[in-house]
Amino acid sequence: MHDLIAFIGSNTMLVAANPAAFATFALLFGGGGFAVGRYFLTERIANLESRIARRDEEITDLKARQTAPEASTVPLFEMTEVLPPAPLNFNRLLGQRKDNHAG
């Protein structure tokens, strides 16, 4: 950008002599650059917009779940407790093994 400003600064006499031509070329190149950038970035912009929309939907769903009362709660007296099996006790296993060999 600095080089462009330096170029225009060194050619101010030319720009001052033909301001309409300079403005025309500036609009053409600026508009062309914008159009090309917009063309190549359209897919990325659409992707980001869809991600924002999906996040907004997720946020509203989470807020709705947070404020809604839990309708399907299970009363405590209807619950059954499932316990894991007792851990292996190697001393007890060794004692049973000795008893089996002794008899």
Side-chain angles (χ1 to χ4, degrees), residues 15-96:
V15 173
N18 297 315
F22 176 74
T24 302
F25 281 115
L27 286 175
L28 284 175
F29 288 119
F34 178 78
V36 169
R38 180 79 176 176
Y39 174 75
F40 285 117
L41 295 177
T42 300
E43 183 178 346
R44 185 170 182 176
I45 291 170
N47 185 15
L48 291 173
E49 287 175 347
S50 68
R51 286 174 61 187
I52 290 171
R54 188 179 70 229
R55 292 286 165 90
D56 289 343
E57 291 173 1
E58 289 176 359
I59 289 170
T60 55
D61 289 345
L62 289 173
K63 284 182 180 178
R65 276 193 226 155
Q66 194 174 32
T67 58
E70 192 68 31
S72 63
T73 57
V74 178
L76 289 177
F77 61 86
E78 291 182 14
M79 295 178 61
T80 59
E81 185 175 11
V82 178
L83 296 174
L88 291 176
N89 186 348
F90 289 109
N91 293 331
R92 187 176 50 161
L93 288 175
L94 290 174
Q96 289 175 355

